[in-house]
Amino acid sequence: MSSLAAACADGFYQPPDWDPAVEGRDAFQARGKSKWQAHPLRERAKKLHTEGILVTRFEVPFDIWCGGCNMHIAKGVRFNADKKRAGNYLSTPIWAFSMKCTNCPCTIEIRTNPQIGDFEVTEGARRKEENYTEADAEVERIDTADDKAKRAADPFAALEHRTHAEATATARKHWLTSLTDNREERWGSGNDYDLSSQLRKRLREDKKESRSEQLKLQARGIGVVDSLLKLSAADERAVLNRGKQAKAVPGTKRPWLGGIFDGTPARAHPNSGAQVHGGKRESEVERRLRLLHQQRKALAVGVQSKTGPARSR
């Protein structure tokens, strides 16, 4: 241990005047002190031995409105609440949580209800009702065990249920027909596995064709172009003509392309005072290619930030 305080916090410190054979550690710690001072929770248990109240961190289980100032308290807001036992339901204790509103001196009390497995507001506030029926939520109602038992015991209830079910099925028959027609129109009446296989095969062929086109463009000196923006024949001719007309970079045989493919910033040609792009001489093709390169560079930076920096060899 680094210090005596750390040893005391971890419980490894034993006082030199404590004899385990005479009394326990808790009794020794409580000698000459109040019971709450010897309790592990200290001030939170100050009323535990006298009034049975323990101060605990309580989170509001639902939206409520304060009864004093009508302030809305959202679900999940936390309070330092007084927790005490308020009774029993059979053998399960009922706990009451009392807290003060932060906007007024009103006291709010929320109790557990083991009978229904929920909380209920008993004092100082009102609960926001958020109970919806199956019709409000537009979902199907599931029959409970009581409903099934009632139909089994009452033949008229079973007849009413069967008649209602048949009427509902007749009214909703056109929905099922439209869904079936839509499926056959979109996918046909073939096997789902065969249709999925054909779709995956077509995607693989498209990726292979796109990769082949990129390699051809790279071999012709245009660079790797993303499939997000396909180059037409006129675009390719314009880029090639521009590369032929451009002067070579001093010291290399590479034509000066103005940073469109190699990621260099926009600047003028070393042997001329004209702007390569950013001025009036930039054509529509050059602008599209420059924007394409910026998009590809941004995507590469995003992928690198998700996967982490590359390791240096």
Side-chain angles (χ1 to χ4, degrees):
M1 291 296 169
S2 59
S3 64
L4 181 61
C8 294
D10 295 335
F12 294 109
Y13 175 75
Q14 307 296 347
D17 53 345
W18 172 56
D19 187 4
V22 177
E23 59 183 348
R25 176 66 181 274
D26 295 338
F28 176 80
Q29 292 291 118
R31 187 189 302 173
K33 300 180 181 178
S34 300
K35 289 185 177 181
W36 67 268
Q37 292 178 334
H39 197 277
L41 296 180
R42 303 289 291 177
E43 286 79 4
R44 290 181 177 270
K46 195 170 184 177
K47 302 179 182 179
L48 184 61
H49 299 284
T50 58
E51 304 177 27
I53 296 176
L54 178 66
V55 179
T56 183
R57 197 69 172 163
F58 180 73
E59 185 173 302
V60 179
F62 37 70
D63 292 5
I64 59 175
W65 278 278
C66 176
C69 59
N70 203 28
M71 183 184 72
H72 175 256
I73 301 176
K75 174 182 177 181
V77 178
R78 298 180 180 180
F79 292 89
N80 289 330
D82 294 340
K83 176 183 176 182
K84 63 180 179 180
R85 191 164 183 171
N88 293 317
Y89 172 72
L90 301 179
S91 61
T92 305
I94 298 176
W95 298 102
F97 299 89
S98 301
M99 64 209 80
K100 290 283 188 180
C101 177
T102 58
N103 196 41
C104 70
C106 181
T107 301
I108 302 173
E109 182 178 279
I110 300 177
R111 294 189 181 186
T112 60
N113 190 345
Q115 184 176 4
I116 60 176
D118 197 3
F119 292 88
E120 59 182 7
V121 182
T122 58
E123 181 185 348
R126 56 189 177 90
R127 178 176 180 175
K128 179 181 179 181
E129 295 295 336
E130 294 181 325
N131 299 324
Y132 303 102
T133 62
E134 292 83 0
D136 297 334
E138 297 183 355
V139 296
E140 294 293 334
R141 182 179 182 275
I142 301 177
D143 292 340
T144 61
D146 296 338
D147 296 337
K148 296 179 181 178
K150 183 179 179 180
R151 291 198 299 269
D154 188 358
F156 288 99
L159 178 61
E160 291 177 358
H161 175 75
R162 185 165 56 252
T163 305
H164 182 266
E166 292 176 355
T168 304
T170 303
R172 299 179 180 178
K173 186 176 181 180
H174 67 282
W175 292 357
L176 181 61
T177 305
S178 62
L179 290 175
T180 306
D181 296 341
N182 187 18
R183 180 185 179 280
E184 292 182 355
E185 180 181 355
R186 177 174 294 184
W187 300 102
S189 57
N191 189 9
D192 293 340
Y193 178 79
D194 296 336
L195 295 173
S196 179
S197 299
Q198 294 176 9
L199 179 61
R200 294 197 304 270
K201 182 179 179 181
R202 187 172 61 185
L203 291 176
R204 287 194 296 268
E205 292 176 352
D206 293 344
K207 289 177 65 176
K208 186 176 180 181
E209 182 181 356
S210 177
R211 179 59 181 169
S212 177
E213 291 179 358
Q214 290 181 1
L215 292 177
K216 290 179 181 179
L217 292 174
Q218 188 177 10
R220 296 168 60 183
I222 297 180
V224 180
V225 181
D226 240 333
S227 59
L228 297 176
L229 181 62
K230 274 196 170 184
L231 292 178
S232 62
D235 295 338
E236 294 183 14
R237 288 195 300 269
V239 174
L240 290 177
N241 293 335
R242 182 174 178 274
K244 293 177 182 179
Q245 296 173 2
K247 298 181 180 180
V249 178
T252 63
K253 296 182 179 180
R254 180 172 59 87
W256 183 267
L257 296 180
I260 295 180
F261 301 108
D262 55 2
T264 56
R267 59 183 184 276
H269 190 275
N271 299 335
S272 66
Q275 291 284 337
V276 176
H277 60 78
K280 296 182 179 180
R281 295 184 56 183
E282 183 182 22
S283 64
E284 179 65 20
V285 176
E286 295 169 351
R287 188 184 66 83
R288 291 172 60 192
L289 293 176
R290 178 168 54 82
L291 294 177
L292 174 61
H293 173 71
Q294 292 176 359
Q295 293 176 2
R296 293 182 64 250
K297 190 174 181 181
L299 290 175
V301 171
V303 172
Q304 185 177 5
S305 63
K306 291 181 179 179
T307 57
R311 296 182 179 178
S312 58
R313 296 182 179 179

